[in-house]
Amino acid sequence: MPDTDVAALLPRLVAALPDGVVTTDPDVVEPYRWDWSHDVAAGTPLAVVRAQDAEQVQVAVRWAAEHGVPVVPRGAGSGLSGGSSAVDGGIVLSLERMRAIEIDTECRVAVVEPGALNVEVKTAAAEHGLWYPPDPSSYEICSIGGNVATNAGGLCCVKYGVTTDYVLGLDVVLADGRLVTLGGKRVKDVAGLSLLKLFVGSEGTLGVVTRAVLRLVPAQAARSTLVASFATVAGAATAVVAVGRTMRPSMMELMDQASINAVEDYKPMGLDRTAGALLVAQSDAPGVARAQEVEGMRAACEAAGAEVFVTDDPDEGELFVAARRMAFPAIQARGAVLLEDVGVPIPLLPELLARVAAIAAEHDVEIPVVAHAGDGNTHPIIVYTPEAEDRARAAFHAVMAAAIALGGTITGEHGVGRAKAAALPDQLGADVMELNRRVKAALDPRGILNPGALGL
Amino acid sequence: MPDTDVAALLPRLVAALPDGVVTTDPDVVEPYRWDWSHDVAAGTPLAVVRAQDAEQVQVAVRWAAEHGVPVVPRGAGSGLSGGSSAVDGGIVLSLERMRAIEIDTECRVAVVEPGALNVEVKTAAAEHGLWYPPDPSSYEICSIGGNVATNAGGLCCVKYGVTTDYVLGLDVVLADGRLVTLGGKRVKDVAGLSLLKLFVGSEGTLGVVTRAVLRLVPAQAARSTLVASFATVAGAATAVVAVGRTMRPSMMELMDQASINAVEDYKPMGLDRTAGALLVAQSDAPGVARAQEVEGMRAACEAAGAEVFVTDDPDEGELFVAARRMAFPAIQARGAVLLEDVGVPIPLLPELLARVAAIAAEHDVEIPVVAHAGDGNTHPIIVYTPEAEDRARAAFHAVMAAAIALGGTITGEHGVGRAKAAALPDQLGADVMELNRRVKAALDPRGILNPGALGL
């Protein structure tokens, strides 16, 4: 708990930082209370600190540590789990002004401040013929700091891995205001405990990232796109398992019938409304190997009963990927939503989706599903009207329980934040929760960093 | 420190485990005192516990926890940093008897006990057309448990990553004997702090791994091999940087003149003794893309002044890779050795190798070098005669200091163990060392797990 007179101490923080860094203007503060999950329990912070450099982050954290004030670190605010919901009496520490990006072509890394957007890193790398693969659907609006905080995934993870696979170094401001550097511009480094990997995905509960060294790879080769229309989700899942056994698609996305129709209602794209499920897959294998891989995927899909369309035209292919990316806004347009991020072992995808359908029926809510099917990571989206909120929340928890029962996870890439904190012990169990708490207490003994996130 | 009467308590442990699990016979115990680094400071354990299952591991750790007895977990004993040197008055907890391997083709994972050898996992996966990529040079004799403990690398890491990139789940016996399961058969999972990644590379200081769920990928495609002979190491490093900018070789190994000659002395392979450096590179790009990639590598090497030989014949290619793998035994045959594992940002490879040469001259020791050049990870090997041991140890520390001065690491893949523990604070600094200690204390408050490793 903050000292009771923290508000009275705020002028010290204001005076210690340049003009305009600390703001208490309620109109300015208001949008910093929420991320995209619109957490109804979000608090009202004392102030928003929009730091311009790591030293200002240290000043703010030192002040907070001295007075026991909660600090909620915040990137672009596009989080989907309430990981940056404001806390009453705390400060929001926004990194949005720290956006420098430096590409080191010799070391093949990007050195990036946390407020830089994912798309900005991709663009800067592309100018040198290099590529930063992680690609959350929100890549045009989400920040690298947020990506690191959640260990964000995306569409190309199925072949290229997630954020942690690309983080070679971090500068982190600790809970007492000290700044440490972990890792650096070296590809392999096993000196000491893997603290670098521990900070990735820690959702601001262990420290505040002020700089990241990100591995880049050569630019992605040209892609071909396959769209396969299945009578049932189970058929699509069968194809996903078959493809994964011998091929490495660079994308393997699934839309169920409800999400296909939501997109068609939102913006007609010519998708097959009668399909039980669509797979949108890509291959970026080099040269003629691409055509071979796509034909292999076609055969696997047809064997599972699909009608298949293939295009080598990048613009045409992008239309289908855009349709998949559009699913979230299209579904949001139908009402209030609760967005799931559950994952299961890949062969259990049909079973998970059958259970989601049963939960939708039982709770009388609509639950369209899109999925990074190649990774077994799905996004059931619970759509509800205001009077159905209780049923929707019950369905939200039932879907997480179903994933846990199938040996899965409540979150594959969005993070636990506050939205899923109550379900985390159900997945991890008491012993692993206790390990989480011990590590948290070791690195943030006063518990000032993002209290409540992850239930810590 | 163990209780003074621990030896008197040993019968309780013996009685709690099946016959033959605990041994105190000095002749049997003796070889369990060392790994391959032949740590002269290795202690003499009270007993060796060769557990047959996780429950026996729990029994042993609970007994040790109750009496404050040090526990040194041990896989195949092929470690190169003294990570499993025995401790006076402690027990060695060997996992060599826990070797079960189960391949789940639908989930595309291997579920493996820690004593299984890396090669056994590769072989079991290959029977299903699948591949476990991490390939330490010692893959025929090293265990998966040791690979996880050190976050082991290898030759194909340059394209396929290191052990941590393939660990989806772990069962771990904690310092108090509880068994926890982290992760599982799901590709993406961000629920809670990244404890899974924290345990990988923790060298037995945080827990004892009793089971690992390892990600598998489709079998590797056919490979072509390129051997490039350079007048200087700097020329070879220039080619490495150029190749990495646009290509993704599946191997990029370097041998310097001294290591080439050591191999030729040991077993004539027809390598060019006059070359300043050899690169042995491979491409496994699919189909005709492979020939394109190899030609691209050839052009980059020739532009850097090399003579280049290329073969698509797998047996001929394997001969060169075998020559590279032979470097370590060949150099060992020349005398006592101290094996380095230093890494730097890739463009600083020539500078590092120049400093290594200067250190060799200054300390009057021979230091041949082999390197996973594509990752900037090098193995200078200090060869010395008994009377030169002090000079060799001074050179060993000077090489680590040089790597640190160049923004590098004292260990890229072998681990810190006990051999490099004294140098770890020089790399990490006091603050990061303190973070290591805090995390260690949080998970092993009595400090019974592998005390001394990592300096913890």
Side-chain angles (χ1 to χ4, degrees), chain A residues 106 178 186 188-190 193 245 407 409 413 431 434 436 438, chain B residues 106 178 186 188-189 193 245 377 409 413 431 434 436 438 442:
Chain A
E106 297 287 302
R178 277 181 298 168
R186 40 199 188 254
K188 286 161 68 184
D189 184 355
V190 297
L193 297 175
R245 208 173 290 142
T409 179
E413 57 180 13
D431 286 339
E434 197 225 335
N436 274 267
R438 282 204 231 170
Chain B
E106 296 288 301
R178 277 181 298 169
R186 41 205 188 250
K188 287 160 71 183
D189 184 355
L193 297 175
R245 209 174 288 142
N377 180 203
T409 179
E413 58 181 12
D431 286 340
E434 197 226 333
N436 274 267
R438 283 204 230 170

PDB file of all heavy atoms in Angstrom, chain A residues 106 178 186 188-190 193 245 407 409 413 431 434 436 438, chain B residues 106 178 186 188-189 193 245 377 409 413 431 434 436 438 442:
ATOM      1  N   GLU A 106      26.186  -5.248 -39.144  1.00  0.00           N
ATOM      2  CA  GLU A 106      27.290  -6.195 -38.978  1.00  0.00           C
ATOM      3  C   GLU A 106      26.935  -7.259 -37.940  1.00  0.00           C
ATOM      4  O   GLU A 106      27.194  -8.434 -38.123  1.00  0.00           O
ATOM      5  CB  GLU A 106      28.565  -5.454 -38.541  1.00  0.00           C
ATOM      6  CG  GLU A 106      29.094  -4.455 -39.552  1.00  0.00           C
ATOM      7  CD  GLU A 106      29.742  -5.150 -40.741  1.00  0.00           C
ATOM      8  OE1 GLU A 106      30.682  -5.917 -40.527  1.00  0.00           O
ATOM      9  OE2 GLU A 106      29.278  -4.931 -41.879  1.00  0.00           O
ATOM     10  N   ARG A 178      17.839   0.651  -9.746  1.00  0.00           N
ATOM     11  CA  ARG A 178      19.098   0.344 -10.420  1.00  0.00           C
ATOM     12  C   ARG A 178      18.831  -0.103 -11.856  1.00  0.00           C
ATOM     13  O   ARG A 178      17.818  -0.737 -12.119  1.00  0.00           O
ATOM     14  CB  ARG A 178      19.839  -0.796  -9.705  1.00  0.00           C
ATOM     15  CG  ARG A 178      20.651  -0.354  -8.527  1.00  0.00           C
ATOM     16  CD  ARG A 178      21.350  -1.559  -7.907  1.00  0.00           C
ATOM     17  NE  ARG A 178      20.369  -2.522  -7.431  1.00  0.00           N
ATOM     18  CZ  ARG A 178      20.683  -3.766  -7.052  1.00  0.00           C
ATOM     19  NH1 ARG A 178      21.934  -4.182  -7.112  1.00  0.00           N
ATOM     20  NH2 ARG A 178      19.746  -4.573  -6.602  1.00  0.00           N
ATOM     21  N   ARG A 186      25.394 -10.584 -28.642  1.00  0.00           N
ATOM     22  CA  ARG A 186      26.021 -11.876 -28.889  1.00  0.00           C
ATOM     23  C   ARG A 186      24.920 -12.914 -28.999  1.00  0.00           C
ATOM     24  O   ARG A 186      23.931 -12.871 -28.267  1.00  0.00           O
ATOM     25  CB  ARG A 186      27.019 -12.204 -27.793  1.00  0.00           C
ATOM     26  CG  ARG A 186      26.531 -11.821 -26.430  1.00  0.00           C
ATOM     27  CD  ARG A 186      27.646 -11.704 -25.407  1.00  0.00           C
ATOM     28  NE  ARG A 186      27.094 -11.520 -24.083  1.00  0.00           N
ATOM     29  CZ  ARG A 186      27.088 -10.361 -23.399  1.00  0.00           C
ATOM     30  NH1 ARG A 186      27.621  -9.274 -23.920  1.00  0.00           N
ATOM     31  NH2 ARG A 186      26.557 -10.290 -22.202  1.00  0.00           N
ATOM     32  N   LYS A 188      24.959 -16.323 -28.652  1.00  0.00           N
ATOM     33  CA  LYS A 188      24.912 -17.377 -27.639  1.00  0.00           C
ATOM     34  C   LYS A 188      25.602 -16.882 -26.381  1.00  0.00           C
ATOM     35  O   LYS A 188      26.720 -16.363 -26.441  1.00  0.00           O
ATOM     36  CB  LYS A 188      25.620 -18.632 -28.158  1.00  0.00           C
ATOM     37  CG  LYS A 188      24.824 -19.391 -29.213  1.00  0.00           C
ATOM     38  CD  LYS A 188      25.695 -20.309 -30.021  1.00  0.00           C
ATOM     39  CE  LYS A 188      26.246 -21.473 -29.242  1.00  0.00           C
ATOM     40  NZ  LYS A 188      27.166 -22.287 -30.076  1.00  0.00           N
ATOM     41  N   ASP A 189      24.965 -17.077 -25.242  1.00  0.00           N
ATOM     42  CA  ASP A 189      25.544 -16.611 -23.985  1.00  0.00           C
ATOM     43  C   ASP A 189      24.853 -17.358 -22.854  1.00  0.00           C
ATOM     44  O   ASP A 189      23.651 -17.193 -22.645  1.00  0.00           O
ATOM     45  CB  ASP A 189      25.324 -15.103 -23.842  1.00  0.00           C
ATOM     46  CG  ASP A 189      25.994 -14.536 -22.601  1.00  0.00           C
ATOM     47  OD1 ASP A 189      26.554 -15.312 -21.799  1.00  0.00           O
ATOM     48  OD2 ASP A 189      25.969 -13.299 -22.435  1.00  0.00           O
ATOM     49  N   VAL A 190      25.602 -18.209 -22.143  1.00  0.00           N
ATOM     50  CA  VAL A 190      24.998 -18.960 -21.035  1.00  0.00           C
ATOM     51  C   VAL A 190      25.651 -18.601 -19.692  1.00  0.00           C
ATOM     52  O   VAL A 190      25.628 -19.398 -18.759  1.00  0.00           O
ATOM     53  CB  VAL A 190      25.057 -20.488 -21.279  1.00  0.00           C
ATOM     54  CG1 VAL A 190      24.248 -20.859 -22.514  1.00  0.00           C
ATOM     55  CG2 VAL A 190      26.485 -20.993 -21.398  1.00  0.00           C
ATOM     56  N   LEU A 193      22.580 -17.418 -14.518  1.00  0.00           N
ATOM     57  CA  LEU A 193      21.187 -17.844 -14.693  1.00  0.00           C
ATOM     58  C   LEU A 193      20.557 -17.091 -15.864  1.00  0.00           C
ATOM     59  O   LEU A 193      20.966 -15.970 -16.185  1.00  0.00           O
ATOM     60  CB  LEU A 193      20.398 -17.573 -13.409  1.00  0.00           C
ATOM     61  CG  LEU A 193      20.876 -18.353 -12.173  1.00  0.00           C
ATOM     62  CD1 LEU A 193      20.087 -17.902 -10.929  1.00  0.00           C
ATOM     63  CD2 LEU A 193      20.730 -19.854 -12.365  1.00  0.00           C
ATOM     64  N   ARG A 245       3.895 -32.452 -39.749  1.00  0.00           N
ATOM     65  CA  ARG A 245       4.771 -33.605 -39.596  1.00  0.00           C
ATOM     66  C   ARG A 245       5.918 -33.589 -40.604  1.00  0.00           C
ATOM     67  O   ARG A 245       6.987 -34.117 -40.330  1.00  0.00           O
ATOM     68  CB  ARG A 245       3.946 -34.889 -39.725  1.00  0.00           C
ATOM     69  CG  ARG A 245       4.563 -36.024 -38.948  1.00  0.00           C
ATOM     70  CD  ARG A 245       3.670 -37.242 -38.921  1.00  0.00           C
ATOM     71  NE  ARG A 245       2.480 -37.038 -38.113  1.00  0.00           N
ATOM     72  CZ  ARG A 245       1.279 -37.520 -38.428  1.00  0.00           C
ATOM     73  NH1 ARG A 245       1.096 -38.199 -39.543  1.00  0.00           N
ATOM     74  NH2 ARG A 245       0.260 -37.325 -37.631  1.00  0.00           N
ATOM     75  N   GLY A 407      -4.753 -30.158 -20.949  1.00  0.00           N
ATOM     76  CA  GLY A 407      -3.285 -30.046 -20.881  1.00  0.00           C
ATOM     77  C   GLY A 407      -2.771 -28.804 -21.568  1.00  0.00           C
ATOM     78  O   GLY A 407      -1.624 -28.748 -22.025  1.00  0.00           O
ATOM     79  N   THR A 409      -3.040 -24.211 -22.015  1.00  0.00           N
ATOM     80  CA  THR A 409      -2.697 -22.984 -21.303  1.00  0.00           C
ATOM     81  C   THR A 409      -3.809 -21.952 -21.443  1.00  0.00           C
ATOM     82  O   THR A 409      -4.503 -21.916 -22.464  1.00  0.00           O
ATOM     83  CB  THR A 409      -1.369 -22.395 -21.817  1.00  0.00           C
ATOM     84  OG1 THR A 409      -1.092 -21.176 -21.105  1.00  0.00           O
ATOM     85  CG2 THR A 409      -1.414 -22.079 -23.312  1.00  0.00           C
ATOM     86  N   GLU A 413      -0.036 -16.137 -25.828  1.00  0.00           N
ATOM     87  CA  GLU A 413       0.779 -15.007 -26.305  1.00  0.00           C
ATOM     88  C   GLU A 413       0.337 -13.641 -25.795  1.00  0.00           C
ATOM     89  O   GLU A 413       1.076 -12.677 -25.931  1.00  0.00           O
ATOM     90  CB  GLU A 413       0.781 -14.976 -27.846  1.00  0.00           C
ATOM     91  CG  GLU A 413      -0.630 -14.890 -28.449  1.00  0.00           C
ATOM     92  CD  GLU A 413      -0.642 -14.866 -29.986  1.00  0.00           C
ATOM     93  OE1 GLU A 413       0.401 -15.154 -30.590  1.00  0.00           O
ATOM     94  OE2 GLU A 413      -1.703 -14.564 -30.569  1.00  0.00           O
ATOM     95  N   ASP A 431       2.065 -25.153  -6.115  1.00  0.00           N
ATOM     96  CA  ASP A 431       3.520 -25.131  -5.991  1.00  0.00           C
ATOM     97  C   ASP A 431       4.171 -24.169  -6.983  1.00  0.00           C
ATOM     98  O   ASP A 431       5.074 -23.417  -6.624  1.00  0.00           O
ATOM     99  CB  ASP A 431       4.093 -26.546  -6.187  1.00  0.00           C
ATOM    100  CG  ASP A 431       3.839 -27.454  -4.987  1.00  0.00           C
ATOM    101  OD1 ASP A 431       3.591 -26.926  -3.885  1.00  0.00           O
ATOM    102  OD2 ASP A 431       3.887 -28.683  -5.160  1.00  0.00           O
ATOM    103  N   GLU A 434       3.577 -20.666  -6.110  1.00  0.00           N
ATOM    104  CA  GLU A 434       4.472 -20.246  -5.029  1.00  0.00           C
ATOM    105  C   GLU A 434       5.866 -19.908  -5.572  1.00  0.00           C
ATOM    106  O   GLU A 434       6.498 -18.943  -5.132  1.00  0.00           O
ATOM    107  CB  GLU A 434       4.560 -21.360  -3.974  1.00  0.00           C
ATOM    108  CG  GLU A 434       5.120 -20.869  -2.656  1.00  0.00           C
ATOM    109  CD  GLU A 434       6.164 -21.806  -2.091  1.00  0.00           C
ATOM    110  OE1 GLU A 434       6.134 -23.005  -2.421  1.00  0.00           O
ATOM    111  OE2 GLU A 434       7.034 -21.324  -1.338  1.00  0.00           O
ATOM    112  N   ASN A 436       6.435 -18.691  -8.522  1.00  0.00           N
ATOM    113  CA  ASN A 436       6.254 -17.368  -9.121  1.00  0.00           C
ATOM    114  C   ASN A 436       6.361 -16.284  -8.053  1.00  0.00           C
ATOM    115  O   ASN A 436       7.030 -15.270  -8.242  1.00  0.00           O
ATOM    116  CB  ASN A 436       4.887 -17.269  -9.812  1.00  0.00           C
ATOM    117  CG  ASN A 436       4.897 -17.785 -11.242  1.00  0.00           C
ATOM    118  OD1 ASN A 436       5.096 -17.027 -12.180  1.00  0.00           O
ATOM    119  ND2 ASN A 436       4.702 -19.079 -11.419  1.00  0.00           N
ATOM    120  N   ARG A 438       7.835 -16.480  -5.126  1.00  0.00           N
ATOM    121  CA  ARG A 438       9.179 -16.372  -4.540  1.00  0.00           C
ATOM    122  C   ARG A 438      10.106 -15.556  -5.432  1.00  0.00           C
ATOM    123  O   ARG A 438      10.898 -14.750  -4.946  1.00  0.00           O
ATOM    124  CB  ARG A 438       9.775 -17.776  -4.367  1.00  0.00           C
ATOM    125  CG  ARG A 438       9.221 -18.500  -3.176  1.00  0.00           C
ATOM    126  CD  ARG A 438      10.238 -19.549  -2.751  1.00  0.00           C
ATOM    127  NE  ARG A 438       9.635 -20.842  -2.606  1.00  0.00           N
ATOM    128  CZ  ARG A 438      10.330 -21.972  -2.437  1.00  0.00           C
ATOM    129  NH1 ARG A 438      11.651 -21.937  -2.439  1.00  0.00           N
ATOM    130  NH2 ARG A 438       9.721 -23.110  -2.288  1.00  0.00           N
TER     131      ARG A 438
ATOM    132  N   GLU B 106       2.052 -36.963 -33.011  1.00  0.00           N
ATOM    133  CA  GLU B 106       0.943 -36.027 -33.243  1.00  0.00           C
ATOM    134  C   GLU B 106       1.289 -34.649 -32.677  1.00  0.00           C
ATOM    135  O   GLU B 106       1.045 -33.627 -33.306  1.00  0.00           O
ATOM    136  CB  GLU B 106      -0.336 -36.544 -32.564  1.00  0.00           C
ATOM    137  CG  GLU B 106      -0.858 -37.844 -33.121  1.00  0.00           C
ATOM    138  CD  GLU B 106      -1.471 -37.669 -34.503  1.00  0.00           C
ATOM    139  OE1 GLU B 106      -2.422 -36.877 -34.622  1.00  0.00           O
ATOM    140  OE2 GLU B 106      -0.997 -38.314 -35.453  1.00  0.00           O
ATOM    141  N   ARG B 178      10.036 -31.215  -3.497  1.00  0.00           N
ATOM    142  CA  ARG B 178       8.778 -31.195  -4.251  1.00  0.00           C
ATOM    143  C   ARG B 178       9.064 -31.337  -5.734  1.00  0.00           C
ATOM    144  O   ARG B 178      10.080 -30.847  -6.223  1.00  0.00           O
ATOM    145  CB  ARG B 178       8.039 -29.868  -4.035  1.00  0.00           C
ATOM    146  CG  ARG B 178       7.214 -29.822  -2.780  1.00  0.00           C
ATOM    147  CD  ARG B 178       6.504 -28.476  -2.680  1.00  0.00           C
ATOM    148  NE  ARG B 178       7.477 -27.390  -2.600  1.00  0.00           N
ATOM    149  CZ  ARG B 178       7.169 -26.108  -2.715  1.00  0.00           C
ATOM    150  NH1 ARG B 178       5.917 -25.744  -2.940  1.00  0.00           N
ATOM    151  NH2 ARG B 178       8.103 -25.189  -2.614  1.00  0.00           N
ATOM    152  N   ARG B 186       2.708 -28.032 -25.332  1.00  0.00           N
ATOM    153  CA  ARG B 186       2.086 -26.937 -26.076  1.00  0.00           C
ATOM    154  C   ARG B 186       3.200 -26.018 -26.550  1.00  0.00           C
ATOM    155  O   ARG B 186       4.171 -25.782 -25.841  1.00  0.00           O
ATOM    156  CB  ARG B 186       1.073 -26.206 -25.214  1.00  0.00           C
ATOM    157  CG  ARG B 186       1.559 -26.004 -23.803  1.00  0.00           C
ATOM    158  CD  ARG B 186       0.404 -25.856 -22.804  1.00  0.00           C
ATOM    159  NE  ARG B 186       0.916 -25.486 -21.500  1.00  0.00           N
ATOM    160  CZ  ARG B 186       0.925 -26.280 -20.436  1.00  0.00           C
ATOM    161  NH1 ARG B 186       0.426 -27.473 -20.491  1.00  0.00           N
ATOM    162  NH2 ARG B 186       1.437 -25.850 -19.283  1.00  0.00           N
ATOM    163  N   LYS B 188       3.155 -22.738 -27.523  1.00  0.00           N
ATOM    164  CA  LYS B 188       3.200 -21.379 -26.986  1.00  0.00           C
ATOM    165  C   LYS B 188       2.499 -21.354 -25.638  1.00  0.00           C
ATOM    166  O   LYS B 188       1.384 -21.867 -25.511  1.00  0.00           O
ATOM    167  CB  LYS B 188       2.506 -20.408 -27.945  1.00  0.00           C
ATOM    168  CG  LYS B 188       3.305 -20.129 -29.205  1.00  0.00           C
ATOM    169  CD  LYS B 188       2.426 -19.592 -30.310  1.00  0.00           C
ATOM    170  CE  LYS B 188       1.946 -18.181 -30.054  1.00  0.00           C
ATOM    171  NZ  LYS B 188       1.028 -17.738 -31.133  1.00  0.00           N
ATOM    172  N   ASP B 189       3.128 -20.750 -24.651  1.00  0.00           N
ATOM    173  CA  ASP B 189       2.538 -20.704 -23.320  1.00  0.00           C
ATOM    174  C   ASP B 189       3.215 -19.573 -22.553  1.00  0.00           C
ATOM    175  O   ASP B 189       4.408 -19.647 -22.275  1.00  0.00           O
ATOM    176  CB  ASP B 189       2.754 -22.037 -22.595  1.00  0.00           C
ATOM    177  CG  ASP B 189       2.066 -22.080 -21.232  1.00  0.00           C
ATOM    178  OD1 ASP B 189       1.505 -21.054 -20.802  1.00  0.00           O
ATOM    179  OD2 ASP B 189       2.094 -23.152 -20.605  1.00  0.00           O
ATOM    180  N   LEU B 193       5.391 -16.329 -14.834  1.00  0.00           N
ATOM    181  CA  LEU B 193       6.784 -15.999 -15.140  1.00  0.00           C
ATOM    182  C   LEU B 193       7.424 -17.145 -15.917  1.00  0.00           C
ATOM    183  O   LEU B 193       7.020 -18.302 -15.797  1.00  0.00           O
ATOM    184  CB  LEU B 193       7.551 -15.748 -13.838  1.00  0.00           C
ATOM    185  CG  LEU B 193       7.063 -14.559 -12.996  1.00  0.00           C
ATOM    186  CD1 LEU B 193       7.828 -14.494 -11.672  1.00  0.00           C
ATOM    187  CD2 LEU B 193       7.220 -13.247 -13.753  1.00  0.00           C
ATOM    188  N   ARG B 245      24.426 -11.994 -43.657  1.00  0.00           N
ATOM    189  CA  ARG B 245      23.538 -10.879 -43.990  1.00  0.00           C
ATOM    190  C   ARG B 245      22.407 -11.295 -44.919  1.00  0.00           C
ATOM    191  O   ARG B 245      21.332 -10.705 -44.891  1.00  0.00           O
ATOM    192  CB  ARG B 245      24.368  -9.743 -44.590  1.00  0.00           C
ATOM    193  CG  ARG B 245      23.752  -8.398 -44.307  1.00  0.00           C
ATOM    194  CD  ARG B 245      24.649  -7.271 -44.764  1.00  0.00           C
ATOM    195  NE  ARG B 245      25.816  -7.112 -43.925  1.00  0.00           N
ATOM    196  CZ  ARG B 245      27.031  -6.797 -44.367  1.00  0.00           C
ATOM    197  NH1 ARG B 245      27.249  -6.648 -45.664  1.00  0.00           N
ATOM    198  NH2 ARG B 245      28.019  -6.651 -43.532  1.00  0.00           N
ATOM    199  N   ASN B 377      30.827 -17.702 -31.506  1.00  0.00           N
ATOM    200  CA  ASN B 377      31.169 -18.512 -30.323  1.00  0.00           C
ATOM    201  C   ASN B 377      32.441 -19.314 -30.635  1.00  0.00           C
ATOM    202  O   ASN B 377      32.459 -20.095 -31.583  1.00  0.00           O
ATOM    203  CB  ASN B 377      29.991 -19.429 -30.020  1.00  0.00           C
ATOM    204  CG  ASN B 377      30.185 -20.347 -28.814  1.00  0.00           C
ATOM    205  OD1 ASN B 377      29.540 -21.378 -28.727  1.00  0.00           O
ATOM    206  ND2 ASN B 377      31.062 -20.008 -27.884  1.00  0.00           N
ATOM    207  N   THR B 409      31.107 -12.838 -24.052  1.00  0.00           N
ATOM    208  CA  THR B 409      30.755 -13.695 -22.925  1.00  0.00           C
ATOM    209  C   THR B 409      31.863 -14.707 -22.649  1.00  0.00           C
ATOM    210  O   THR B 409      32.563 -15.130 -23.574  1.00  0.00           O
ATOM    211  CB  THR B 409      29.431 -14.433 -23.188  1.00  0.00           C
ATOM    212  OG1 THR B 409      29.139 -15.288 -22.069  1.00  0.00           O
ATOM    213  CG2 THR B 409      29.503 -15.312 -24.447  1.00  0.00           C
ATOM    214  N   GLU B 413      28.133 -21.784 -24.533  1.00  0.00           N
ATOM    215  CA  GLU B 413      27.330 -23.010 -24.561  1.00  0.00           C
ATOM    216  C   GLU B 413      27.761 -24.073 -23.560  1.00  0.00           C
ATOM    217  O   GLU B 413      27.012 -25.013 -23.325  1.00  0.00           O
ATOM    218  CB  GLU B 413      27.347 -23.619 -25.971  1.00  0.00           C
ATOM    219  CG  GLU B 413      28.755 -23.932 -26.476  1.00  0.00           C
ATOM    220  CD  GLU B 413      28.791 -24.511 -27.895  1.00  0.00           C
ATOM    221  OE1 GLU B 413      27.766 -24.465 -28.587  1.00  0.00           O
ATOM    222  OE2 GLU B 413      29.863 -25.004 -28.295  1.00  0.00           O
ATOM    223  N   ASP B 431      25.818  -5.938  -9.780  1.00  0.00           N
ATOM    224  CA  ASP B 431      24.353  -5.906  -9.671  1.00  0.00           C
ATOM    225  C   ASP B 431      23.716  -7.173 -10.237  1.00  0.00           C
ATOM    226  O   ASP B 431      22.801  -7.738  -9.628  1.00  0.00           O
ATOM    227  CB  ASP B 431      23.792  -4.680 -10.399  1.00  0.00           C
ATOM    228  CG  ASP B 431      24.039  -3.390  -9.633  1.00  0.00           C
ATOM    229  OD1 ASP B 431      24.280  -3.460  -8.406  1.00  0.00           O
ATOM    230  OD2 ASP B 431      23.997  -2.313 -10.256  1.00  0.00           O
ATOM    231  N   GLU B 434      24.298 -10.068  -8.083  1.00  0.00           N
ATOM    232  CA  GLU B 434      23.394 -10.050  -6.931  1.00  0.00           C
ATOM    233  C   GLU B 434      22.011 -10.574  -7.325  1.00  0.00           C
ATOM    234  O   GLU B 434      21.372 -11.309  -6.557  1.00  0.00           O
ATOM    235  CB  GLU B 434      23.300  -8.621  -6.378  1.00  0.00           C
ATOM    236  CG  GLU B 434      22.729  -8.573  -4.978  1.00  0.00           C
ATOM    237  CD  GLU B 434      21.669  -7.495  -4.820  1.00  0.00           C
ATOM    238  OE1 GLU B 434      21.721  -6.495  -5.572  1.00  0.00           O
ATOM    239  OE2 GLU B 434      20.780  -7.681  -3.960  1.00  0.00           O
ATOM    240  N   ASN B 436      21.455 -12.835  -9.600  1.00  0.00           N
ATOM    241  CA  ASN B 436      21.638 -14.288  -9.641  1.00  0.00           C
ATOM    242  C   ASN B 436      21.518 -14.875  -8.239  1.00  0.00           C
ATOM    243  O   ASN B 436      20.837 -15.879  -8.034  1.00  0.00           O
ATOM    244  CB  ASN B 436      23.018 -14.636 -10.230  1.00  0.00           C
ATOM    245  CG  ASN B 436      23.031 -14.701 -11.747  1.00  0.00           C
ATOM    246  OD1 ASN B 436      22.844 -15.754 -12.325  1.00  0.00           O
ATOM    247  ND2 ASN B 436      23.239 -13.572 -12.390  1.00  0.00           N
ATOM    248  N   ARG B 438      20.035 -13.593  -5.614  1.00  0.00           N
ATOM    249  CA  ARG B 438      18.677 -13.464  -5.065  1.00  0.00           C
ATOM    250  C   ARG B 438      17.759 -14.560  -5.595  1.00  0.00           C
ATOM    251  O   ARG B 438      16.964 -15.124  -4.842  1.00  0.00           O
ATOM    252  CB  ARG B 438      18.088 -12.098  -5.448  1.00  0.00           C
ATOM    253  CG  ARG B 438      18.627 -10.973  -4.608  1.00  0.00           C
ATOM    254  CD  ARG B 438      17.604  -9.851  -4.634  1.00  0.00           C
ATOM    255  NE  ARG B 438      18.226  -8.588  -4.971  1.00  0.00           N
ATOM    256  CZ  ARG B 438      17.550  -7.476  -5.247  1.00  0.00           C
ATOM    257  NH1 ARG B 438      16.218  -7.499  -5.282  1.00  0.00           N
ATOM    258  NH2 ARG B 438      18.179  -6.374  -5.522  1.00  0.00           N
ATOM    259  N   ALA B 442      16.031 -17.554  -3.503  1.00  0.00           N
ATOM    260  CA  ALA B 442      14.571 -17.718  -3.504  1.00  0.00           C
ATOM    261  C   ALA B 442      14.186 -19.170  -3.762  1.00  0.00           C
ATOM    262  O   ALA B 442      13.194 -19.664  -3.207  1.00  0.00           O
ATOM    263  CB  ALA B 442      13.948 -16.811  -4.566  1.00  0.00           C
TER     264      ALA B 442
END
